Structure formats: C-alpha cells, structure tokens
Amino acid sequence: MKRGRLDAPDTATSILDVAERLVQVRGFNGFSYANVAAELKITTAALHYHFAGKAELGEALIARYAARFAAALAGVESQSSDGLVRLHAYAGLYLDVLRERRMCLCGIMAAEYETLPDRMKDAIVRFFDDNETWLTRVLDQGREDGALRFTGPPSQTARTIVSCLEGAMLVARPYGDITRFETAASQLLSGLSSPSVKGARPRSEAKGVRRQRVPS
Amino acid sequence: MKRGRLDAPDTATSILDVAERLVQVRGFNGFSYANVAAELKITTAALHYHFAGKAELGEALIARYAARFAAALAGVESQSSDGLVRLHAYAGLYLDVLRERRMCLCGIMAAEYETLPDRMKDAIVRFFDDNETWLTRVLDQGREDGALRFTGPPSQTARTIVSCLEGAMLVARPYGDITRFETAASQLLSGLSSPSVKGARPRSEAKGVRRQRVPS
DNA sequence: GTCTATAACGAGATAGAC
DNA sequence: GTCTATCTCGTTATAGAC
C-alpha cells in the first residue's frame, strides 16, 4: 500500500507500521509520538505533518487494520467452502498476529476503550461488527451445508467466537505461549464440528487447515 | 477490610478502592495519581505516603483483587458441589464485575502487560494460574462425578474457560451490553454440561445458579 | 517534507513544614 | 498523615526556517 518504485515505503506508511506494532504490543496509551519518531529517526514535528494528532493516527491505524482484515476474510472465503475449515482459517488470522507477540489491534484498544477519542471508539465497534457479520454468514451457511453444528442464532455463536479468540490472545501473551491460544481455539471450534459432537478432537490441529496470511 | 470503628474506611483502603475502579475502567496506563487524589480530595503527596509509587500501588491492587477473588472461589465451592453449578457461579463472578462497567483488573492489565513493572507482571500471571488451578480441580471432580463432560486434560479446559470469559468481558464493554457476556458464557458452559451434549441449553440462564458476590 | 525551537501541560516523585 | 512547594521529565503540539 502506497509504495514508490523499488517498494520503498513512504513515510506515512512507515509511521503506520511502527505505530501499529507499538500499539499492538504496548497499547494506545503505552506509546508516544516520540517512540515512533525515534525508531524512524525523524522528529515528532514530521509525524504531526502526516498525522495531525494521536487521535488521527489512531483512526488511521484502525482503518488500515480493518481493511487488511477484511481482505483476509475474503481470502479465507475464497480458499475453502467448508465451514469448519473457514473457521479454523479465521482463528489462524489471530494466530498470525500472536506469533509476532502482538495483540489484536482492536482487542487491545477495546481494553483502553474508555480513554479513547469518540471516532476511535466507533471504529473499534465497527471492526467487531464486521467480524461478527462475516462469521454469522459463514456459520449460517456451514450449518446449512451440514459442515457445522450449533444451536441458536448464528450471530450469537459469532459473538462467542470473537470473544473467545480475543480472550485467548489476551491471556496467551503474558505467558508468551501461543499453544495456549491454539488449544483454546481448537477446543472452541471442535464444539462446532458437525458429525460427532462427543468425539470432536479436543487438541491437535485437526483437518488440513490452510492458514491465511494477513497481507502486510 | 482494614476499617476503624463505625466502618469508616482508612485512607489506604479508600485509595485502593478509587484506584481499582480507575484501573478497571481506564487501564493502568490510563489513570494517574492526580486522578485518585482529586477524587479523594487529598494531595498526590499524601498518596505517595501510603504507596511509594505507582508500581507499588499496582502491586497492592493486584494482591487485594486476587485475595478477594480467591475468597469468592472458596465461597463458590462451599455453596454447591455440582460442577456445572460451580462453573456458572464462577462465570457469575465475572458478570458481577462487568455489571459495574468494569473489566477484570488482571484482564485489563494483561492487555498492558508489556508496559508493566516486573513485579506486577508476575502477580498477574499468578492470578491466572490460581484461577486455572481452581478450575482444573472443579473440572476434574465434576467429570468424575458425572456432572461435567469434556475431553482432554482438565487444565486445558480450565485455560479455555478463563480465556473465553476474559475475552467476553473485553468485547462486551465497548458495546455496554452485558448480555453479550452472558450468552458467550452460557454457550461456553453448555458445551461442558453432562447428560445431553446436543440439547444443551444455548441461551437462558439455565439451572438455578446462585451467583456468588465478590465481597467488597 | 523535515527540521529546530519552544510552548504548554501533566505525570511521577521528593523535601520539609505542620 | 497530610500539606505546600518544587523538581524533573515526558508528551503533545505549534511556529517558522530550510
């Protein structure tokens, strides 16, 4: 996104890259313009040229993250029509983030929600809404297909999936142990697998889940 | 705790009360000594008398929160020997926190983990460890009793429960909607109920769960 | 676009009087 | 125990030169 020839990233993109990582690791209230500027070896004044204030930078971060996530969801959908495979691929998106020792950008901001500017608040809720909308569709179709089994409205299960995956990331990070996330995700999704509910694989990767990489 | 006659709270306790709420709503990096002092109408210098620095205050907050939680767990265990009832009561502890529009103290600090002093980091991991230890015992016994059904090691399911409940709180708060938490918790626990796995109640409160109140 | 310089503020902390 | 006064530092932000 926004590259000159030879793939040299422009300044605005570099700023977003650095700020994104800082937020995902330290939180929105845990980083400063000075941190970003130091890493890029520019001044904070230059930062203000590209992003008027921290609020604007935050909005841009969420917008880019949400767009990238949406693209990844489309990719997941295009790679398999099997509901369970899609759900595992969805969990894989979270896992890819966790592998870089990061929290979901919107998950960590959800923790700081009360301290955020209004426009960032709105954008975060929209992110979760979009995820749940996508999941709802996948769940609904998966149950129609007979690939998934669950009771109640798909939107409700969608919310549960988002909540559990965000929580699994949140708790896994202090332990520095991604297997914590993996087992929680497997256990969660195994409860949705179709044919056998009782014999559903509680651990192990299950199936041949082609994980989808979030485009950087 | 730590009261004079007539139940007048001493200063240290009042500080902890105010700081606790501020952290649970705004995060550890989202509040300041000035915020606490203003609310108590004392100066920050007085705060420093009781708690040398923000790190020490943070440690005290976690210690008190963890102790209170441990007491609540003992209470849950004493009120029912049924595994499923105990698990619902456990989820009820989280719900009580969420009702006050707060996040779990250690959950919100988990999000800010990388920015915290080492001793706070350790205390947070210990909190999760203690919760998982307790849950592991309840799960193990519940399965022995035939009250619970799940596959794999109880410790793994314990981790999943903690993760999902923390995540359900995290996501429910931006929506200001506790039913989001309730449905996620119900769905999670219904998958552990013993006799019918397929007909397990997906919504509704299920059973007569006497919720356990965390002593203030 | 990026810099220097600086303003304006808030946060965490300490000394010493009362 | 609590205060006033003060200090130092970091953070966000702006003006204006290059």
Side-chain angles (χ1 to χ4, degrees):
Chain A
M1 26 268 301
K2 215 49 158 330
R3 299 286 164 97
R5 58 194 160 190
L6 266 65
D7 248 36
D10 62 30
T11 304
T13 302
S14 300
I15 293 169
L16 288 174
D17 290 341
V18 171
E20 182 176 68
R21 175 171 42 75
L22 286 172
V23 171
Q24 290 186 269
V25 172
R26 303 178 52 87
F28 190 74
N29 293 329
F31 89 105
S32 72
Y33 262 40
N35 300 147
V36 180
E39 229 173 296
L40 293 174
K41 290 177 187 162
I42 56 177
T43 61
T44 60
L47 270 188
H48 280 284
Y49 170 81
H50 294 281
F51 301 96
K54 214 184 170 189
E56 287 75 16
L57 175 56
E59 288 175 51
L61 284 174
I62 301 171
R64 191 179 71 153
Y65 190 82
R68 203 193 298 146
F69 219 87
L73 294 186
V76 166
E77 231 171 333
S78 73
Q79 286 199 8
S80 172
S81 58
D82 180 278
L84 191 58
V85 172
R86 283 175 172 177
L87 292 183
H88 275 279
Y90 179 77
L93 296 178
Y94 286 69
L95 187 55
D96 287 337
V97 172
L98 193 59
R99 280 216 179 83
E100 295 181 321
R101 297 166 173 264
R102 303 189 193 190
M103 174 69 186
C104 168
L105 182 83
C106 292
I108 203 164
M109 285 181 172
E112 305 173 290
Y113 191 77
E114 282 304 320
T115 70
L116 301 179
D118 283 346
R119 300 173 61 124
M120 287 181 64
K121 285 185 181 178
D122 295 343
I124 287 166
V125 169
R126 242 177 290 127
F127 174 82
F128 289 126
D129 283 343
D130 291 347
N131 272 265
E132 289 169 9
T133 299
W134 185 86
L135 278 171
T136 298
R137 190 153 34 79
V138 166
L139 286 166
D140 202 20
Q141 187 195 312
R143 184 161 60 177
E144 283 288 320
D145 294 349
L148 299 175
R149 163 175 306 187
F150 59 93
T151 56
S155 62
Q156 217 166 77
T157 297
R159 289 179 180 189
T160 300
I161 291 173
V162 170
S163 291
C164 292
L165 293 181
E166 289 287 351
M169 288 186 89
L170 184 74
V171 178
R173 252 166 32 99
Y175 286 91
D177 178 9
I178 64 172
T179 71
R180 281 188 160 258
F181 176 88
E182 290 172 319
T183 60
S186 294
Q187 215 166 329
L188 173 70
L189 297 187
S190 72
L192 301 172
S193 98
S194 171
S196 69
V197 171
K198 43 183 303 191
R201 51 200 92 55
R203 46 201 323 181
S204 85
E205 269 301 72
K207 300 226 165 183
V209 182
R210 278 170 298 173
R211 225 177 313 87
Q212 175 72 11
R213 191 151 262 292
V214 179
S216 76
Chain B
M1 323 124 130
K2 215 47 155 340
R3 300 284 166 97
R5 58 192 163 192
L6 266 65
D7 247 36
D10 61 30
T11 304
T13 303
S14 300
I15 292 170
L16 288 174
D17 290 342
V18 171
E20 182 176 69
R21 175 171 41 75
L22 286 171
V23 172
Q24 290 186 269
V25 172
R26 303 178 50 88
F28 190 74
N29 294 330
F31 89 105
S32 72
Y33 262 39
N35 299 148
V36 180
E39 228 173 294
L40 294 173
K41 291 179 187 161
I42 57 177
T43 61
T44 60
L47 271 187
H48 280 284
Y49 171 81
H50 294 280
F51 300 95
K54 214 184 171 188
E56 287 76 16
L57 175 55
E59 287 175 51
L61 285 173
I62 301 172
R64 191 180 70 153
Y65 191 80
R68 203 193 296 146
F69 219 88
L73 294 186
V76 166
E77 230 170 336
S78 73
Q79 286 199 8
S80 172
S81 58
D82 181 277
L84 191 59
V85 173
R86 283 175 172 177
L87 292 183
H88 276 280
Y90 179 77
L93 297 178
Y94 286 69
L95 187 56
D96 287 337
V97 172
L98 192 60
R99 280 216 180 82
E100 294 180 321
R101 296 167 175 262
R102 302 190 194 190
M103 174 69 187
C104 169
L105 183 82
C106 292
I108 203 164
M109 284 180 171
E112 306 173 289
Y113 191 76
E114 282 305 320
T115 70
L116 301 179
D118 283 348
R119 300 173 62 124
M120 286 181 65
K121 285 185 180 177
D122 295 343
I124 287 167
V125 169
R126 241 178 291 128
F127 173 82
F128 289 126
D129 283 343
D130 291 347
N131 272 264
E132 289 170 7
T133 298
W134 184 85
L135 279 171
T136 298
R137 190 154 33 78
V138 167
L139 286 166
D140 202 20
Q141 188 194 312
R143 184 162 59 178
E144 283 287 322
D145 295 349
L148 297 176
R149 163 175 307 187
F150 59 92
T151 55
S155 62
Q156 216 166 78
T157 296
R159 290 180 179 189
T160 300
I161 291 173
V162 170
S163 292
C164 291
L165 294 181
E166 290 287 352
M169 289 186 88
L170 184 73
V171 178
R173 251 165 34 98
Y175 286 91
D177 177 9
I178 64 173
T179 71
R180 278 188 164 257
F181 176 88
E182 291 171 319
T183 61
S186 294
Q187 215 166 328
L188 172 69
L189 298 186
S190 72
L192 301 172
S193 97
S194 172
S196 71
V197 170
K198 43 182 306 192
R201 51 201 92 54
R203 44 200 327 179
S204 84
E205 267 302 72
K207 299 225 167 184
V209 183
R210 277 169 301 172
R211 226 177 310 89
Q212 175 73 11
R213 190 150 264 291
V214 180
S216 75

